[in-house]
Structure formats: structure tokens, C-alpha cells
Amino acid sequence: MFSVEWLQSALDNLAELWANSDSAARQVLNAACNEMDRRLARDPNNEGESRPQGRRITFVAPLAAIFRVDPVQRIVTVIRIYRFRRRS
């Protein structure tokens, strides 16, 4: 298992999404964050897609997260979180 840490900037992104959401949307955001934390703690190197500079991105609707993995210290750092829209 890996530890999952969130940069303050990512927490600020999430807080803004939360503040601009109604009760139902907040429940969806909570569920997405919990699922994302579970996935990142379990197997971050195989979660999502690779990106430049050693970063990865994952999607748990309605959220996307950019993160990096430190395999030596077994820490995942969430760098940015944002709401994404599915393409039709």
C-alpha cells in the first residue's frame, strides 16, 4: 500500500468545487474522492495514464487528478484535481 498525500493547491481546487456544488453533487464528489484515494493507495503505477515529467492522470467521474508516485517512499502526491466533462 502507498500513502496518498494531497498538495494544498489540490485541496483548494477540491474545496472550490465543493463550495460551488449542491448537496447531491457533494455526495458524488465525496464518493469520487474516496474511490480515487483507494485506487491510488492500492496500485498507483498502474492507475490512469502516464504524462510527462513523471506524472500520471486518473479519472473517477466527475473528477480528474494529476499525481506523481514516489516508489521508494511509497507515497502518492495528488498535485491537481479538477472536474472533467465526458465527451459525447
Side-chain angles (χ1 to χ4, degrees):
M1 294 292 282
F2 284 73
S3 295
V4 179
E5 298 178 351
W6 291 54
L7 293 183
Q8 186 61 49
S9 57
L11 292 171
D12 292 345
N13 296 143
L14 184 58
E16 184 176 341
L17 291 172
W18 176 269
N20 294 319
S21 297
D22 63 18
S23 178
R26 287 177 177 175
Q27 289 179 352
V28 171
L29 291 174
N30 276 343
C33 284
N34 289 336
E35 178 62 20
M36 193 172 291
D37 278 343
R38 278 192 293 276
R39 290 182 188 184
L40 293 176
R42 185 178 52 235
D43 190 11
N45 290 307
N46 290 308
E47 179 59 38
E49 304 168 1
S50 64
R51 291 295 187 260
Q53 301 174 337
R55 295 179 179 189
R56 299 187 65 79
I57 188 169
T58 190
F59 302 91
V60 179
L63 298 175
I66 298 172
F67 64 97
R68 66 177 165 253
V69 180
D70 181 335
V72 175
Q73 293 192 18
R74 300 191 63 77
I75 296 172
V76 177
T77 303
V78 177
I79 299 165
R80 181 170 176 241
I81 190 129
Y82 59 95
R83 185 184 306 266
F84 74 93
R85 299 205 195 293
R86 293 185 182 190
R87 296 180 193 169
S88 333

